[in-house]
Amino acid sequence: MKAEFRSSIPRLRRLLPRFRKTRIAVLGDLMLDRYLWGMANRLSPEAAVPVVDFESQTDRLGGAGNVAANLAALGAHVELFGVVGGQRRAGKKTADDATGSALRACLREAEIGDRGVLAVARRITTVKTRVIARHQQIVRIDHERREALPPEAEEILFRALLASLKGIDALILSDYDKGLISDSFADRILNACHQFKVPVFVKPKTTRLYAYRGARVIVCNTKEAGFYVTRSLLDEKSVEEAGRALLPHFGCAAVVITRGEKGMSIFEEAAPHCLHIPATSFEVTYARVGQPGVERGTTGRQVFDVTGAGDTVLSVLSLAMAAGAFLPDAALLANTAAGVVVGKLGTANVTPSELRAALDEFHP
């Protein structure tokens, strides 16, 4: 049985100032999202592809870095743990590769500390390069390797995280299946967090069927949820059956299934009914990465770019719960934030003022 959830918007607004007092750690796969901007006015004589005249380049935090950037943009104190590619230098410690250095520059710009970011020799920093012309993505080129982290590097990372657990309110595991989080590593992390009573929020990867047991909330999309229960989720009944099945599957307290234009469905172990949060219905269009420019006075919703929307849901939901919100309120706030971010081209974040304005627009 499904019930539609509506929250007290004044209560959500009162929650926003508490974000600045909240400390959250993020552990996961770090990436650099690189955008090459240009104009395309002709086709190549060599193949039926557009020729893009290069104009500029923009680097943005991706993967776990984007989750951390979302949290920092909302005022939270963020500790980030992950790895970048490294190069050994004679007599010196391992240095970042060129992409890793660019990623650290993005962290500094976002005012996110990088003490928990480790350079690992013979590894490369993941970079996703998108070529954009006339605000449309032409192609994406991924440069990455997915081998498991060396045991010594995993141990250094785990001990650094362990040292921070006493001072944080929550941990987010941002797993993009790039080799950082193995089943055994996830198990060690969750056991340590349980000992320190730190709630863990996870967006899982389908390659790990039984990892993350004991997480506070698992966030997955419809396709991922369908993979875990080995069937397609085509209607409300199948979504509800999947959500109920995933609670014992992950041994977690709650499951949130994000459903795009259909909003999200929330399942809690202690709640008898599924809660449904409808998608926002406000049209937003943006011309460049991260820049505002809300087009008001229209109805319906134009999704300009879904890059990073899942990161936004995970980060805002986790931050809201760490700041004291109940899951339904936190999910509504996360859904509202995602409605802002999908209206921005490229990897983007939402600010407190944007979120406050969106609450007024989306939930009058």
Side-chain angles (χ1 to χ4, degrees), residues 8-305:
S8 164
I9 300 307
R11 184 167 70 238
L12 292 182
R13 290 197 198 95
R14 289 194 297 271
L15 183 68
L16 299 182
R18 301 204 322 244
F19 287 173
R20 292 193 165 276
K21 299 177 181 178
T22 305
R23 304 189 70 88
I24 294 196
V26 178
L27 186 147
D29 296 299
L30 299 174
M31 308 178 203
L32 188 71
D33 284 344
R34 176 161 285 164
Y35 296 86
L36 304 181
W37 303 93
M39 293 294 293
N41 297 310
R42 67 190 192 280
L43 291 178
S44 169
E46 302 162 358
V49 296
V51 175
V52 178
D53 294 321
F54 174 80
E55 292 181 347
S56 62
Q57 174 179 309
T58 305
D59 286 344
R60 293 258 164 185
L61 293 167
N66 186 43
V67 173
N70 271 284
L71 296 166
L74 288 168
H77 300 276
V78 186
E79 294 187 46
L80 183 61
F81 299 88
V83 300
V84 295
Q87 308 169 65
R88 286 199 185 279
R89 293 181 177 175
K92 298 180 181 180
K93 70 176 184 178
T94 302
D96 298 341
D97 60 13
T99 307
S101 295
L103 190 148
R104 286 193 199 267
C106 290
L107 290 175
R108 288 192 294 272
E109 185 179 349
E111 299 183 348
I112 299 170
D114 62 354
R115 288 182 300 176
V117 177
L118 178 68
V120 178
R122 294 183 296 276
R123 192 177 181 92
I124 64 172
T125 305
T126 297
V127 57
K128 297 184 177 182
T129 303
R130 297 170 176 89
V131 180
I132 312 289
R134 293 184 178 273
H135 301 170
Q136 298 295 321
Q137 185 176 149
I138 304 298
V139 68
R140 191 182 91 183
I141 303 165
D142 290 2
H143 190 208
E144 64 185 20
R145 296 215 309 255
R146 296 173 178 241
E147 68 268 19
L149 204 60
E152 60 273 17
E154 180 181 301
E155 189 62 29
I156 293 171
L157 204 58
F158 178 72
R159 292 190 177 280
L161 175 66
L162 204 61
S164 76
L165 286 181
K166 287 184 180 179
I168 62 174
D169 300 302
L171 170 69
I172 296 176
L173 287 187
S174 182
D175 188 356
Y176 275 80
D177 205 17
K178 307 301 180 190
L180 178 73
I181 303 177
S182 62
D183 285 1
S184 59
F185 194 23
D187 192 51
R188 292 181 74 191
I189 292 167
L190 284 159
N191 284 339
C193 288
H194 180 71
Q195 290 177 355
F196 284 92
K197 294 181 170 52
V198 174
V200 183
F201 300 83
V202 184
K203 194 171 192 307
K205 295 306 292 184
T206 51
T207 51
R208 267 174 282 290
L209 294 178
Y210 297 103
Y212 326 109
R213 295 188 67 81
R216 175 64 183 87
V217 180
I218 295 287
V219 179
C220 57
N221 60 36
T222 306
K223 183 179 178 181
E224 292 162 341
F227 177 87
Y228 286 122
V229 298
T230 66
R231 62 183 180 275
S232 297
L233 308 185
L234 303 175
D235 53 27
E236 296 297 332
K237 182 181 178 183
S238 62
V239 170
E240 184 157 357
E241 288 174 348
R244 287 292 164 202
L246 289 178
L247 287 169
H249 173 96
F250 285 113
C252 60
V255 168
V256 173
I257 301 178
T258 58
R259 304 173 60 192
E261 73 280 0
K262 294 182 180 178
M264 25 173 106
S265 297
I266 303 169
F267 304 87
E268 291 191 85
E269 193 177 32
H273 303 303
C274 159
L275 285 179
H276 179 254
I277 296 177
T280 55
S281 57
F282 180 60
E283 183 169 359
V284 282
T285 56
Y286 292 73
R288 298 284 277 189
V289 170
Q291 292 184 1
V294 177
E295 189 175 304
R296 304 183 187 278
T298 55
T299 58
R301 179 159 171 254
Q302 176 177 328
V303 176
F304 199 31
D305 192 343

